[in-house]
Amino acid sequence: MSLHLPPRQLIKSVLTSIPPSLSLIIPSIQRRSAQSLVPSKKGDSEKFKAKLTNPLTEEYLRRKPSAATKAPKKGGLSSSSIFEDEELAGPKPEKVKKGEETGLEPRNPLRMAAALDPDPQGRLRWERKMVIRDIHKRGRLTKTQRLKREERVLVSKSHDFKTSVKKLVPLAKQIAGKTVEEAIVQMRFSKKKAAQDVKEHLEHARNEAIVRRGMGLGIGADPSFITREIVTKDRKRVKVTDPTTLYVDQAWCGKGLFGTTPDHRARGQIYLMKNRTAFLSVVLKEEKTRIRLHEERETKEQNRRVWEQLPNRPITAQRQYYSW
């Protein structure tokens, strides 16, 4: 025979049947609230506050000076600062007489020495070495130094194009040796997708050369210059009308960063495809550089000795005895 009772009634009947002696053994649930932590009487609250006070903290606060901290002073500007210009920073304030105090603290170069001159002894040794080298050479410049003073060069590197080096190399070979304007026209009508990126980079490099190097403006050109035809190192004839015209001396490519794209295949296989990128670097020079190279090649060709089939040579390896 089975007893059919609901679960709640069954648990209630079991709890009521427990004798009072066993009620201490069974764990009971305790509930706490925020009101249980607060003392109920006035005397208890005063004792509670007295426990929270710290005599060391009170003594420190009593001895602490109440005067406000001194605000930092503003520093001055150096004489080479662009903000000292009246057109940019406005009129300068009147000079302060000696003995009068100002709100600005004088500029102290010793504070900036750690950043501007971290190794003074090494700097002195380097300056001494440069002076000795200049005295030995008597102020004469090497060919490389002289060309850097006389001729202007710009090296410009592009950002990464979304193409591969294999596709970008033919375009780099196509623009090398041409004037910048002609190279831009070639890229404008090219069918290659990357040609538009190359065209934009050539325009950027041309603008950078004009602004930063002052190239292609006709400044420093000889007014008596006559149009002449020269031969490049590739044996191509070029007609030069302005010695300051920009041309692409070198152009090369390189690999850039690449990303990956999943390629979902059959049977749950996934391949990773590389999204390749490449960059383009160009070296822009003026036509007077190409004229100088043409003249150097011609001079070298003229100074070369004529080949002789049986040239006259001095007799060497003579002995006083027979060699056979």
Side-chain angles (χ1 to χ4, degrees), residues 245-260:
T245 304
L246 296 176
Y247 78 97
V248 182
D249 183 62
Q250 300 177 36
W252 67 89
C253 307
K255 293 182 180 180
L257 301 176
F258 64 89
T260 55

Side-chain angles (χ1 to χ4, degrees), residues 174-188:
Q174 184 178 356
I175 64 176
K178 292 182 173 62
T179 60
V180 175
E181 301 300 332
E182 185 180 356
I184 291 175
V185 172
Q186 292 288 332
M187 294 297 103
R188 178 183 174 186

